[in-house]
Amino acid sequence: MKHKLLSLAMVASFCTASFAQEIKFQEYDLANGLHVILHQDNTAPVVTTSVMYHVGSKDENPERTGFAHFFEHLLFEGTENIERGEWFKIVSANGGSNNANTTSDRTYYYEVFPSNKVELGLWMESERLMHPVINEIGVETQNEVVKEEKRQRVDNAPYGGLSYGTAIQPHLFTNHPYRWSVIGSMEHLDAATLDEFKAFFKKYYVPNNAVLVVAGDIDIAKTQKMIQDYFGPIPRGAAIERTHPKEAPITQQMTATEYDSNIQIPALALCYRTPARTEKDSYVLNMISTYLSDGKTSKLYKKMVDENKSALQVFAFNRSQEDYSMYNIFALPLGDVSMTQLETEIDEEIKKLQTSLISENDYTKLQNKMENDFVNSNASISGIASSLASYYMLYGDTNLINSEIEIYRNITREDIKRVANKYLNKNQRLRLEYLPKTAQEK
């Protein structure tokens, strides 16, 4: 049996290594500043065309929050050559799928097509950039769509204020535009004029603020020609300067209470302001969150959910961002367990990280988990396209798609202890009690 187990382990190791092959790509700039990344993989007749724009909620006017997310919706309305309401019909009629998403730092659009439709994907993305129709009917339509999304995901969703940051970010940030959430303010969107929407597009939706990725079953030379034909004529935009204000360090624990009418069970949130995603310490914090709460054998889950029966659930995660990240720990009490008890048990595990090195066995498991997650993130063509765009735009190093795992491999047990001591201290955090709204009424 022992030999059989060893053989299975060797097979698993071989499989992981085989899937972690180098991802080859080419990158270059058009004359108008558009950065292009091409990844050829002819194993399946599928292609992803995608464009990431370096604009997120942090780029908004404080009196006009929600613009970046709003444009994620608005730019599907139509173009001068794609009639209103036809975008999704064209994609589905050609065997494709598409979507978009927005964060504090960037907005990402993509299509997945059969590879013989690569030109269609490029044409549609060039249309989005060069010929969008931004008019009153489109703005009014998408305004209602965004409001409904906010109602579903934030206002009427249990713990929506925690999931989307609306209950946390205004407390954790006072100067930087991370203080408002990606969803933004519906009042701001209602008050905005058509000229304000057009000005936002003109400033941020320009080729020199974007990266185009084409990945999959492509012919490199033919794809380059199509890219030049469709994107080359688009004029360069004005250079964008970002001077976001800095945050002073947190030196004393902040406390706050927020209420949610959609919940019956309260939640405790311990939130820390942490370094930018490109810094090594941010990678270490990713590992710490995995160590603390990823899976039923993780330290917080095993202690609080399984052994002590003090929590229904506990989560720890590092929300990595371009300027500052946020390290959040959420816990839901079981029965009459107090918030103070939850806090004590969480702090006990953090203290262990700060005073002792994690075991060699835990360290090995952690390294294996990070490697597995890294491989899985690039297991599909669409995943590779997203990674290539993100590594270029948000990290400044496209080849991290191959080399990022080395950062994790070089993180030591001593690094984990050091980072826990540097960032996860009581006097550096927000302690937030997230309570049922009925508690406010009593």
Side-chain angles (χ1 to χ4, degrees), residues 311-327:
L312 281 170
Q313 190 56 274
V314 60
F315 308 92
F317 58 97
N318 187 43
R319 182 176 167 186
S320 59
Q321 300 177 129
E322 192 171 22
D323 297 342
Y324 298 97
S325 300
M326 295 181 285
Y327 193 88

Side-chain angles (χ1 to χ4, degrees), residues 12-257:
S13 175
F14 173 78
C15 290
T16 299
S18 66
F19 282 117
Q21 294 176 357
E22 180 183 6
I23 294 172
K24 296 181 180 180
F25 60 89
Q26 298 181 24
E27 57 184 333
Y28 60 97
D29 290 326
L30 297 187
N32 58 15
L34 179 69
H35 193 72
V36 179
I37 305 174
L38 304 178
H39 166 66
Q40 184 178 26
D41 182 345
N42 303 119
T43 56
V46 177
V47 65
T48 295
T49 54
S50 66
V51 181
M52 182 175 287
Y53 295 90
H54 201 176
V55 56
S57 59
K58 76 170 184 223
D59 297 300
E60 296 161 350
N61 179 334
E63 300 302 318
R64 290 293 182 266
T65 63
F67 264 45
H69 173 251
F70 187 80
F71 267 87
E72 174 199 319
H73 292 266
L74 184 63
L75 294 185
F76 284 103
E77 270 288 303
T79 74
E80 293 177 11
N81 298 301
I82 300 174
E83 292 186 12
R84 182 170 179 268
E86 292 297 308
W87 187 285
F88 297 102
K89 294 178 183 178
I90 293 172
V91 172
S92 61
N94 286 276
S97 61
N98 65 283
N99 213 329
N101 52 71
T102 310
T103 71
S104 299
D105 302 314
R106 93 296 180 274
T107 307
Y108 184 61
Y109 304 84
Y110 66 93
E111 295 81 31
V112 179
F113 276 120
S115 55
N116 61 354
K117 300 296 181 181
V118 61
E119 185 169 7
L120 176 62
L122 291 169
W123 172 72
M124 294 183 78
E125 285 301 332
S126 69
E127 277 291 300
R128 193 198 306 275
L129 179 56
M130 186 159 48
H131 298 132
V133 174
I134 301 174
N135 57 22
E136 292 287 359
I137 187 171
V139 167
E140 290 174 5
T141 300
Q142 294 307 320
N143 203 348
E144 290 306 311
V145 171
V146 171
K147 285 179 179 178
E148 181 59 26
E149 180 179 343
K150 184 174 183 291
R151 284 190 286 266
Q152 289 183 1
R153 298 188 179 185
V154 182
D155 299 341
N156 300 325
Y159 307 100
L162 295 183
S163 301
Y164 283 85
T166 55
I168 297 171
Q169 290 168 229
H171 300 291
L172 207 55
F173 297 94
T174 56
N175 298 313
H176 193 280
Y178 285 158
R179 66 184 183 270
W180 59 81
S181 70
V182 174
I183 200 75
S185 165
M186 299 305 100
E187 290 76 14
H188 289 176
L189 293 178
D190 287 339
T193 66
L194 187 61
D195 284 343
E196 287 176 308
F197 287 114
K198 289 181 177 180
F200 189 86
F201 178 87
K202 182 179 179 180
K203 180 176 182 178
Y204 292 108
Y205 280 81
V206 291
N208 46 302
N209 195 46
V211 54
L212 166 69
V213 179
V214 187
D217 184 23
I218 60 173
D219 177 288
I220 294 292
K222 291 180 180 178
T223 303
Q224 287 177 324
K225 184 180 185 307
M226 287 186 282
I227 290 170
Q228 180 60 43
D229 290 343
Y230 288 115
F231 289 89
I234 303 174
R236 175 189 288 266
I240 298 170
E241 296 183 7
R242 292 178 172 86
T243 55
H244 300 308
K246 306 293 184 182
E247 292 284 348
I250 300 171
T251 57
Q252 184 176 355
Q253 178 171 271
M254 300 180 291
T255 60
T257 304

Side-chain angles (χ1 to χ4, degrees), residues 389-403:
S390 295
Y391 287 131
Y392 166 75
M393 180 164 286
L394 302 178
Y395 294 83
D397 182 1
T398 312
N399 196 52
L400 280 173
I401 197 167
N402 295 308
S403 63

Side-chain angles (χ1 to χ4, degrees), residues 235-430:
R236 175 189 288 266
I240 298 170
E241 296 183 7
R242 292 178 172 86
T243 55
H244 300 308
K246 306 293 184 182
E247 292 284 348
I250 300 171
T251 57
Q252 184 176 355
Q253 178 171 271
M254 300 180 291
T255 60
T257 304
E258 296 284 347
Y259 297 91
D260 188 335
S261 60
N262 304 298
I263 65 173
Q264 294 180 329
I265 299 171
L268 174 70
L270 302 177
C271 308
Y272 307 79
R273 194 191 307 141
T274 50
R277 67 195 308 159
T278 53
E279 296 188 28
K280 178 182 176 180
D281 287 357
S282 187
Y283 286 93
V284 180
L285 286 162
N286 290 340
M287 293 186 74
I288 290 175
S289 66
T290 298
Y291 176 79
L292 288 177
S293 76
D294 190 351
K296 294 185 177 181
T297 61
S298 61
K299 299 305 177 184
L300 286 178
Y301 189 96
K302 187 175 181 180
K303 174 179 182 174
M304 299 174 70
V305 178
D306 284 349
E307 296 175 0
N308 294 356
K309 310 295 184 188
S310 58
L312 281 170
Q313 190 56 274
V314 60
F315 308 92
F317 58 97
N318 187 43
R319 182 176 167 186
S320 59
Q321 300 177 129
E322 192 171 22
D323 297 342
Y324 298 97
S325 300
M326 295 181 285
Y327 193 88
N328 299 324
I329 303 174
F330 301 155
L332 278 64
L334 180 62
D336 295 328
V337 171
S338 68
M339 297 290 197
T340 301
Q341 182 178 338
L342 293 179
E343 180 182 12
T344 298
E345 293 182 5
I346 292 169
D347 283 342
E348 287 172 352
E349 290 304 314
I350 292 175
K351 193 67 175 178
K352 291 178 184 178
L353 284 172
Q354 294 173 330
T355 55
S356 304
L357 297 179
I358 67 173
S359 71
E360 287 281 6
N361 184 56
D362 283 340
Y363 176 71
T364 300
K365 286 166 56 179
L366 190 55
Q367 286 283 358
N368 290 340
K369 180 67 168 62
M370 303 313 293
E371 184 144 356
N372 186 62
D373 289 348
F374 177 77
V375 172
N376 287 339
S377 68
N378 298 315
S380 67
I381 291 297
S382 57
I384 290 171
S386 177
S387 293
L388 287 168
S390 295
Y391 287 131
Y392 166 75
M393 180 164 286
L394 302 178
Y395 294 83
D397 182 1
T398 312
N399 196 52
L400 280 173
I401 197 167
N402 295 308
S403 63
E404 187 180 53
I405 191 58
E406 294 301 325
I407 298 175
Y408 286 113
R409 287 171 178 163
N410 290 324
I411 292 171
T412 65
R413 294 189 298 155
E414 288 78 12
D415 284 326
I416 292 171
K417 180 182 177 183
R418 173 185 59 80
V419 168
N421 275 287
K422 187 174 181 179
Y423 300 103
L424 303 183
N425 296 301
K426 190 171 184 177
N427 67 328
Q428 294 173 289
R429 74 186 182 197
L430 164 70

